[in-house]
Amino acid sequence: MTTDTQSIAALVSEAHSLFAATPGGANASYIPYLASVPSTLAGLAVVTADGQVFEAGDSKYAFAIESISKVFSLALAMEDIGPDALRQKVGADPTGMPFNSVMALELHDDKPLSPLVNAGAMSTVSLVKASTAEERWARILGMQRDLAGRQIELSDEVNQSEQTTNFHNRAIAWLLYSAGTMYSDAMQACDVYTRQCSTLITALDLATMGATLASGGINPITKKRVLTAANIPHILAEMTMEGLYDSSGDWAYTVGLPGKSGVGGGILAVMPGQLAIAGFSPPLDPVGNSVRGQRMVAHVAKALGLNLYRVPGA
Ligand code: GLN
C-alpha cells in the first residue's frame, strides 16, 4: 500500500464527517432491541493487516453484530469440515432474494446456496463440530473473540429480543431439516445462530476481525493465528457473492471489495493483504444495509484506491 498513515487517518475522519449525518433509512424494526438504538450513532474504523488502527466517531459504541456473525461461523465451519464440503452442503452462489427468503429455498431444492443468508447461516452453524448446544455456542463465541482479540460478550437483552421474535427463522430451520440440509438438531442450530447474532461488537472490533481475514488469518493486534490462510479466499468470495444480500452485485460494481453487513447497522469491507474498513450506523436501506455505513466505507475504499477489480490506468 502506497498510502501513508497520515492519509488513512485523514480519510477516516473525512468519511465520517461527510456521511455521519446522511439522512435516509430506518433502524431495523422487526427485532425490538434494534428499533431502540439511537439512529444518530455513526462510527468508522480501519485496521491494517500490520496492526495500525484508525477511528472516527462512535467507533467504540457496542452494537449487535447480527448477520456479520455469519462470516465468522462460516470461517469456523470451514476450519472443521473444509471448503469443499462447505460448498457442497451449503453453497457459494447468491440467492438474489432477501436475507430471510423462504422462496430462495423453494427455488433451489432446499439447498441454501449461501452461508451468508439466514438459511445457509443456520445450516453452517449446524456443521460446526459440537455435541451439545453449549459446546456449539462456546466454539462460535470463541471464534468471534479470537478474531476481535477481545472478550466479546453476548447481550442478554438482544438475545431475549431475538429469541422471543425469531419465528420466521425457526420455520426456515425446520424446512432445512425436512430437506436434509440441516446437520444438527434444527432448534439447536436456530438457537445458537440467534445467540451468535446477539453479541455486541464495536466498529473497531469489526475492523480487527476483518483485518484478521485480510492478513491471512493472524490477528494483527494479538498476533494469534485464528484461521487457516487457504480458507480465506473462499470466505471472501462468499462475501462478494452475498455479503450485502440482494445488493451484493451493486456493491461489487461500485466498491469492488468483499463486504458483509448486519441489520444492527454494521458493515465490513476487506482488502486482502492490506486492511479492513468497518462502519456502523443504525438506519438501513430497504435491503437491510446501513445507509451511512455504506457511504463511509465506500469513501475510504475509493480514496485509497482499494478495489479488487482495479487495473492499471483505472
Ligand atoms: N438476527 C437477524 C435475523 O436472523 C440477522 C439478520 C441480518 O443481520 N440480516 O433475522
Side-chain angles (χ1 to χ4, degrees), residues 142 157 173 232 266 299 303:
E157 194 185 353
I232 295 175
H299 183 79

Side-chain angles (χ1 to χ4, degrees), residues 30-31 66-67 70 99 118 162 169 193 197 245 261-264:
Y30 76 104
I31 297 169
E66 297 299 343
S67 217
K70 291 164 176 160
F99 62 82
N118 291 12
E162 300 215 17
N169 284 342
Y193 162 77
C197 291
Y245 320 117
S261 62
V263 292

